[in-house]
Structure formats: structure tokens, C-alpha cells
């Protein structure tokens, strides 16, 4: 393709391919496409390109590859690390028009979807067929499966079903030069060479654009049981986790832990959230969820676990859900963090998503809480998916505007590096975590990632400046 005279010529040509609704410029560009939930300043891209088919994605990437235009793929824009924020002078490639469920195979237990399909749409489509897609997170109504794949999203049920990469059987991907990889595998067992789809899961759009996915489905749970328990210390939390794993096995679908400082914020300051149990005298609240097939058999198994925990004095107090409404109320305590930004709760704050070995999470929380308070005057609270080693931190300096993000990041990620954890458990790296990636990845690993990027995107046009900088 011969170089065009100006970027205006490129956009005019793409407008001819995509139509007026597919190429938005200037005042027509939606504000939501200029930045994500990282609260980074809005960018100023040349255009927001909105393809409606894989062939249109191919056309966009071929044109941009030939003209040296940087491309930032976008999903639901719910990321927290700046991964979907476009570059000034580049283009945003939004998959929002490529939405829909294309096929459900109830025998093979798969669903084929377009990348712009919202996660909640996928969950509902599976449920209508008596099936279940287990990936679940708070942004389910806004996030898209393409973004979930690009960040290898985790969410609430990783302890049972794994991360997004464990739920993807096949992908269709368009490479930076417009080459299509039609890897729409529908089989669980397929060892025919390299599993190339894994290159693109968690790559944050730096290696190509995911346009379709084949997802793995499960039977719809026949029953769900949940309990909120109070433990006196973290050793008791670990004992409860071990007992839940042993007694429930693969039925254990969630094991969420809220430190007492988080519990106080969630249940006393967030409107509409009540405390089903009293944590006074305890150190942690534990939300245990089980998804079974038969209420009589599996429900009895769950009740037996709780009785055993009480008899062994592993929990001090507890509440068992008697209805779906109770389950929702239990989860509301865990999901209350979404409301912390409200001025009447905490207001402006800094959020961290980190991972550690389960046995070290309480030690990390104690170290981080003390360091944040002593060094920069920040308060902090802790909660997370402890069953799979994922901890969330909310930190804030009362009355500060802006919040001390660089200072807090150095403290939190510095401790994570010392404890051999990961600076990102489920939200990706984007730009905000890029300076701290070497704390979790060694020089040889970083070098190999750069070689992979150079092999697939030698011009560094696909979501550049994200994850890491530089060439091998």
C-alpha cells in the first residue's frame, strides 16, 4: 500500500471503508474513548475507529501499518491501569460495534462470541440455555469479553474455574499487519503445536486485536450456598480455607476475606450495605460460597462444614444465607469498595491489585499499612480473593488532592517485590504499573517479552508504551 500524503487522507480512506458511524473525529469522538477508569488525563487521538466486522479490522490495521499510525484496541474501557487509553496522534480502535453471541454448542459446551460483547450478555445467553459462563466481576455490565481476554481478567470465581485464559478455547486475532489468525478451536484437548492463543491472552492488545472468541461453558449450578464468618486471626482464616477446600472440593466457588479495617468502612459508611455479622473481637470477615448441583445433598455438605468450623472454634460468629437476597447482601459487603470514591465514604483514593502466596497476605497487609501511615500519612484497608492469592488495597491521605499515587505505589510495590509477589493479579500493567513490572519479572523474562513484541509488531504500532518500553 503506497503511503498517503497526510493523516487526513488516511482517515478519509478509512471513513470510506467504515462509513460515518465507524470513523469519529473531533467533537464526535466520545469522551469515554479518550481514557479508561485509571483516571489518567484524556488523550487526543486522531479518531475513534469502530469496525463492525473482522474484515474492517483488517482494513484498519493494514492502513495503519502502511502509514505508521499507532493503534490502541479498546473494549468496555473499564480498565484501571491505562491500558486502553489511546495515544495522542494515534487512533483508538473500539470493538463496541462487534457485539453478539454467534453460536452456542450445548453438547460441546462452548459459545462463540464477538470481542465487543459485554460480559453480562454472555452470562445471560449461557443461562438461557441452562449453561453457565463463570467469569464474573463488578464491571460485568460494561466490560467486554475482548477486554477481559486482553487483561486475562480474574474476578470472583477464580478459585474454582480459573482466570480468563482457562475459559478460552479459541480466538480469532488480527495481527498488526492485518493478517488474520483463525484459531477458533472448540476442543478442550488440542495439542497440535504451539497454543498460540495464549500469546494474546493478557497481552493488553500489544500483539494484535482479538475479534472473536470460543468460550468454555459449564453446567448451570443447581444450588448456591453462602456464609459470612468471623475469624479471630489470620491463622484461623487459613485453617478455614483448608477446611473449605477439603470438605467442599470443587464445589467451593469463592473464598473472599475482608480485613476488619475494610469491614468497618464497608458496613458503616456505604449506604445500603449492612453487616450480617459483628466483627468485634475478630480480625477478618470471610465470605464462603459454594455452587452445587443438588440443594439437599450439597446444601447438607455446606451446613456440615459450617458446623465443623464452629465446633473447632475456627470461627467466632457466622451467618448463613437463607435466600438469594441474603447471598446478594453478603456479596454487597465485598462489593462495597466500588462506592468508596463517593465523598461521603472515603472520596479520592488509590487502589492496588496485587498477588502474594496466601500464607503471606496478612504479613503484607500489616507491613503496607504501617509503611503507608508512617511514611506518607495514608490510611489503608485490605480485602480480596484470598483463596487465589489476590489482595486489593485501598489507600488514601485524608484531604489530599491529588492523592500521593507515586509515593504510595513505591511503598506498596516495593514490599510486593521484597515478598516475591506480583504487582498485578488481575488488572494488567497498562502504563500505571509499567515502572514496577521488573519487581515481578526478571531481566530474561522482560527481554523475551520484548523479542515477542518485536517479532509480531516490528514497527511498535499496537498499543505502544503499554506494559514495557524499548526493543530487545
Amino acid at each position: 500500500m503506497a503511503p498517503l500524503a497526510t493523516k487526513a487522507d488516511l482517515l478519509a480512506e478509512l471513513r470510506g471503508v467504515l462509513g460515518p458511524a465507524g470513523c469519529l473525529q473531533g467533537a464526535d469522538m466520545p469522551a469515554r474513548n479518550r481514557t479508561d477508569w485509571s483516571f489518567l488525563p484524556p488523550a487526543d487521538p486522531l479518531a475513534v475507529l469502530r469496525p463492525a466486522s473482522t474484515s474492517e479490522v483488517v482494513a484498519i490495521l493494514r492502513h495503519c501499518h502502511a502509514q505508521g499510525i499507532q493503534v490502541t484496541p479498546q473494549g468496555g474501557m473499564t480498565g484501571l491501569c491505562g491500558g486502553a487509553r489511546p495515544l495522542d496522534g494515534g487512533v483508538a480502535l473500539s470493538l463496541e460495534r462487534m457485539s453478539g453471541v454467534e453460536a452456542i454448542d450445548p453438547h460441546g459446551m462452548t459459545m462463540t462470541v464477538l470481542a465487543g460483547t459485554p460480559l453480562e450478555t454472555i452470562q445471560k445467553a449461557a443461562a438461557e440455555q441452562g449453561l453457565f459462563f463463570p467469569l464474573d466481576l463488578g464491571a460485568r455490565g460494561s466490560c467486554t469479553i475482548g477486554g477481559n481476554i486482553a487483561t486475562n481478567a480474574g474476578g470472583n470465581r477464580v478459585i474454582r474455574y480459573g482466570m480468563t485464559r482457562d475459559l478460552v478455547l479459541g480466538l480469532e486475532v488480527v495481527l498488526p499487519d492485518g493478517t488474520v489468525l483463525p484459531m477458533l478451536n472448540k476442543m478442550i484437548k488440542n495439542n497440535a503445536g504451539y497454543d498460540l492463543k495464549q500469546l494474546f491472552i493478557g497481552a493488553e492488545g500489544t500483539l494484535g486485536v482479538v475479534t472473536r472468541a470460543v468460550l468454555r461453558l459449564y453446567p448451570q449450578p443447581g444450588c448456591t450456598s453462602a456464609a459470612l464468618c468471623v475469624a479471630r486471626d489470620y491463622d484461623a482464616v487459613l485453617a478455614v480455607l483448608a477446611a473449605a477446600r477439603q470438605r467442599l472440593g470443587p464445589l467451593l466457588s469463592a473464598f473472599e476475606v475482608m480485613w476488619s479495617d475494610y469491614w468497618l468502612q464497608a458496613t458503616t459508611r456505604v449506604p445500603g450495605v449492612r453487616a450480617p455479622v459483628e466483627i468485634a473481637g475478630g480480625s477478618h470477615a470471610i465470605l464462603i460460597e459454594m455452587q452445587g448441583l443438588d440443594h439437599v445433598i450439597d446444601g447438607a455438605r455446606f451446613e456440615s462444614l459450617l458446623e465443623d468450623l464452629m465446633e473447632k472454634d475456627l470461627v467466632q460468629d457466622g451467618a448463613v444465607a437463607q435466600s438469594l437476597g441474603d447471598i446478594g447482601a453478603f456479596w454487597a459487603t465485598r462489593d462495597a469498595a466500588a462506592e468508596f470514591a463517593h465523598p461521603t465514604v472515603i472520596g479520592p483514593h488509590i487502589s492496588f491489585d496485587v498477588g502474594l502466596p496466601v500464607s503471606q497476605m496478612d504479613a503484607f497487609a500489616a507491613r503496607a499499612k504501617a509503611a503507608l501511615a508512617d511514611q506518607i500519612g495514608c490510611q489503608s484497608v485490605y480485602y480480596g480473593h484470598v483463596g487465589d492469592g489476590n489482595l486489593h488495597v485501598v489507600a488514601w491521605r485524608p484531604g489530599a488532592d491529588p492523592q500521593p499515587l507515586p509515593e504510595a505505589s513505591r511503598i506498596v510495590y516495593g514490599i510486593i517485590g521484597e515478598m516475591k509477589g506480583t504487582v498485578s493479579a488481575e488488572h494488567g500493567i497498562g502504563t500505571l504499573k509499567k515502572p514496577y513490572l521488573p519487581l515481578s519479572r526478571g531481566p530474561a523474562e522482560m527481554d523475551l517479552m520484548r523479542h515477542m513484541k518485536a517479532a509480531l509488531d516490528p514497527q511498535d504500532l499496537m498499543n505502544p508504551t503499554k506494559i514495557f518500553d524499548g526493543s530487545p
Side-chain angles (χ1 to χ4, degrees):
M1 183 179 296
L4 298 173
T6 66
K7 292 182 178 180
D9 294 333
L10 167 67
L11 295 178
E13 192 159 319
L14 285 174
R15 194 177 301 108
V17 174
L18 304 174
C23 183
L24 306 179
Q25 295 175 258
D28 293 332
M29 287 191 292
R32 64 182 295 273
N33 294 102
R34 294 177 181 265
T35 192
D36 56 15
W37 288 4
S38 63
F39 302 109
L40 287 167
D44 187 24
L46 287 173
V48 175
L49 306 179
R50 303 167 66 239
S53 66
T54 299
S55 62
E56 291 185 357
V57 175
V58 169
I60 290 170
L61 294 187
R62 284 180 176 172
H63 278 75
C64 290
H65 186 264
Q67 310 303 325
I69 303 296
Q70 297 167 324
V71 179
T72 300
Q74 295 183 338
M77 304 303 292
T78 60
L80 302 177
C81 300
R85 181 183 181 274
L87 272 68
D88 294 343
V91 297
L93 195 164
S94 172
L95 279 295
E96 60 193 297
R97 295 175 70 200
M98 293 183 63
S99 177
V101 175
E102 294 191 320
I104 297 179
D105 178 359
H107 303 294
M109 304 283 282
T110 68
M111 179 189 295
T112 304
V113 298
L114 292 168
T117 309
L119 174 59
E120 191 170 48
T121 299
I122 293 169
Q123 294 172 331
K124 290 180 178 179
E128 289 171 0
Q129 299 295 318
L131 300 172
F132 182 60
F133 184 63
L135 179 65
D136 189 48
L137 48 149
R140 65 186 68 84
S142 302
C143 66
T144 66
I145 194 63
N148 300 148
I149 291 167
T151 57
N152 187 31
N156 302 328
R157 300 190 179 107
V158 171
I159 192 171
R160 176 169 179 177
Y161 299 99
M163 301 285 281
T164 296
R165 69 171 68 253
D166 300 298
L167 302 173
V168 175
L169 295 175
L171 292 177
E172 178 184 78
V173 177
V174 184
L175 296 179
D177 65 358
T179 300
V180 179
L181 298 181
M183 306 177 293
L184 292 172
N185 166 69
K186 295 185 178 182
M187 298 166 286
I188 295 174
K189 290 185 175 181
N190 186 346
N191 282 325
Y194 298 156
D195 190 1
L196 295 177
K197 71 176 182 293
Q198 297 295 350
L199 286 176
F200 304 95
I201 301 174
E204 302 186 44
T206 61
L207 302 179
V209 179
V210 173
T211 50
R212 279 183 172 81
V214 179
L215 307 175
R216 184 177 182 181
L217 303 179
Y218 287 81
Q220 185 72 235
C223 63
T224 300
S225 299
L228 262 173
C229 304
V230 177
R232 68 169 55 84
D233 55 34
Y234 194 69
D235 285 340
V237 171
L238 295 179
V240 172
L241 175 59
R245 283 172 164 160
Q246 182 178 32
R247 299 288 292 272
L248 301 180
L251 301 182
L252 179 63
S253 56
F255 191 90
E256 305 288 316
V257 177
M258 294 159 275
W259 273 247
S260 58
D261 49 23
Y262 169 90
W263 183 261
L264 181 65
Q265 295 289 337
T267 60
T268 65
R269 302 190 66 179
V270 177
V273 177
R274 61 181 178 85
V277 294
E278 293 298 328
I279 202 172
S283 63
H284 301 77
I286 307 170
L287 172 55
I288 308 172
E289 184 189 82
M290 179 203 73
Q291 291 182 334
L293 297 177
D294 183 275
H295 176 70
V296 174
I297 297 173
D298 296 326
R301 189 191 308 269
F302 190 74
E303 291 176 5
S304 176
L305 165 68
L306 299 177
E307 291 171 0
D308 187 54
L309 294 177
M310 296 293 289
E311 289 176 3
K312 293 180 177 178
D313 198 29
L314 292 178
V315 297
Q316 296 178 289
D317 191 11
V320 181
Q322 302 298 317
S323 65
L324 291 177
D326 286 347
I327 294 176
F330 288 4
W331 274 103
T333 64
R334 167 60 179 77
D335 295 337
E339 304 301 323
F340 280 6
H342 195 278
T344 62
V345 186
I346 289 176
H349 62 268
I350 308 162
S351 296
F352 296 96
D353 153 53
V354 297
L356 298 115
V358 174
S359 61
Q360 297 184 39
M361 297 178 79
D362 194 54
F364 164 80
R367 284 187 61 184
K369 190 176 188 69
L372 287 166
D374 294 344
Q375 296 180 33
I376 59 173
C378 270
Q379 299 179 31
S380 57
V381 297
Y382 301 79
Y383 68 103
H385 318 287
V386 169
D388 47 66
N390 180 194
L391 189 64
H392 296 296
V393 182
V394 176
W396 70 100
R397 181 189 289 163
D401 185 17
Q403 290 287 309
L405 175 60
E407 297 88 346
S409 297
R410 283 194 292 270
I411 292 170
V412 170
Y413 296 138
I415 298 172
I416 285 290
E418 292 175 12
M419 299 182 74
K420 307 300 181 185
T422 175
V423 299
S424 180
E426 59 180 355
H427 291 163
I429 297 297
T431 56
L432 290 182
K433 295 189 178 186
K434 186 169 64 173
Y436 308 100
L437 182 58
L439 294 173
S440 298
R441 295 289 195 176
E445 293 174 288
M446 297 289 293
D447 190 54
L448 180 56
M449 284 191 277
R450 290 189 176 97
H451 274 88
M452 292 167 57
K453 169 73 167 171
L456 292 176
D457 184 18
Q459 295 187 60
D460 194 23
L461 298 179
M462 291 301 304
N463 212 10
T465 75
K466 312 298 170 59
I467 303 182
F468 50 77
D469 288 323
S471 57

